[in-house]
Amino acid sequence: MESVTAVFAGTAFALFGAALLIWTGARTIQRAPVAHGVSPVASTALATVFGVLFLVLGVWCFTRV
């Protein structure tokens, strides 16, 4: 039963992390702001760091199955 929870959490984290990285990359390529009212460099860096963090967390959850 616990493996179902790990798979669900891993999928959620991995999808969110991948979507965040794709969205950040698309906004950066278009030279559009990633977050309004924040430094473009800081918002891009933070979004990238959190996207990678969520992907790693998703992979870690999959290893717990």
Side-chain angles (χ1 to χ4, degrees):
M1 192 63 167
E2 294 163 356
S3 64
V4 174
T5 306
V7 169
F8 177 75
T11 302
F13 284 132
L15 284 175
F16 181 73
L20 184 60
L21 286 174
I22 290 170
W23 181 78
T24 303
R27 298 294 286 182
T28 303
I29 289 172
Q30 296 172 355
R31 300 211 183 255
V34 175
H36 293 288
V38 183
S39 166
V41 174
S43 61
T44 302
L46 274 175
T48 302
V49 166
F50 277 104
V52 170
L53 179 72
F54 279 112
L55 272 176
V56 168
L57 188 59
V59 170
W60 180 79
C61 285
F62 285 135
T63 63
R64 299 292 159 197
V65 173

